[in-house]
Amino acid sequence: MTKRELVEYWANGADMDEHTFRNLLKSRDNHWALFMGHIVVGKLLKALIVQNNEEGFAVPRSHDLLLLAQKAQLETEENRADVLDLISTFNINARYPDYKRGFYQKCTNEYTKERATEIDEVIAWLKSLIREQ
């Protein structure tokens, strides 16, 4: 796979998962929607890691979005770093039974709408950084 093909692989995967994210929001499957939002952001960051690094195409096997942003060589001001850290928690909270119940209760429609807006802003930012080549 060429570098460009690998960038497209991650970006296309993010696009497909973004469709699922939007459907989960519509159906009010709130905790799964936020989990899927995390997955979308992670895949876009992985596309940027490949795009922005000259040495190899290795992508970390991590779901820590702030770490991925650093590996993608992105400048993140404090507010954006805080949002990436928060979105990272949706991965653990939606997956593991001991966290899931509390997270499920936390994911009211209002909370989910606010977090989905933040996820949308991050998605738009990351997509703007992926170059067409």
Side-chain angles (χ1 to χ4, degrees):
M1 223 182 247
T2 67
K3 184 174 186 171
R4 187 68 215 157
E5 288 170 336
L6 197 51
V7 170
E8 289 175 3
Y9 166 81
W10 288 111
N12 290 340
D15 285 343
M16 289 187 291
D17 290 343
E18 186 178 355
H19 178 75
T20 303
F21 167 63
R22 305 247 174 256
N23 284 336
L24 289 166
L25 287 171
K26 285 179 196 171
S27 67
R28 295 194 173 177
D29 287 321
N30 294 341
H31 69 295
W32 287 120
L34 295 179
F35 171 77
M36 190 56 63
H38 167 271
I39 298 298
V40 173
V41 171
K43 287 183 179 181
L44 290 170
L45 286 167
K46 289 176 180 185
L48 287 162
I49 289 169
V50 174
Q51 174 183 283
N52 295 344
N53 288 282
E54 295 301 321
E55 295 182 25
F57 305 151
V59 175
R61 290 182 182 247
S62 175
H63 296 287
D64 179 338
L65 299 180
L66 192 52
L67 172 71
L68 294 175
Q70 291 166 347
K71 296 283 186 188
Q73 302 176 17
L74 301 181
E75 303 258 341
T76 53
E77 72 271 359
E78 186 175 343
N79 183 48
R80 187 162 278 152
D82 290 343
V83 170
L84 289 173
D85 270 342
L86 176 63
I87 296 169
S88 288
T89 68
F90 302 157
N91 178 52
I92 294 169
N93 289 336
R95 289 176 104 176
Y96 298 103
D98 47 338
Y99 294 103
K100 200 179 221 176
R101 182 170 174 78
F103 185 59
Y104 182 82
Q105 292 172 341
K106 185 177 191 175
C107 291
T108 64
N109 291 334
E110 182 179 337
Y111 178 84
T112 302
K113 184 178 179 182
E114 290 170 5
R115 300 299 74 82
T117 298
E118 292 170 330
I119 291 170
D120 284 337
E121 290 168 359
V122 171
I123 289 171
W125 169 58
L126 296 174
K127 284 184 173 184
S128 77
L129 299 175
I130 296 175
R131 294 186 298 271
E132 295 290 326
Q133 294 179 352

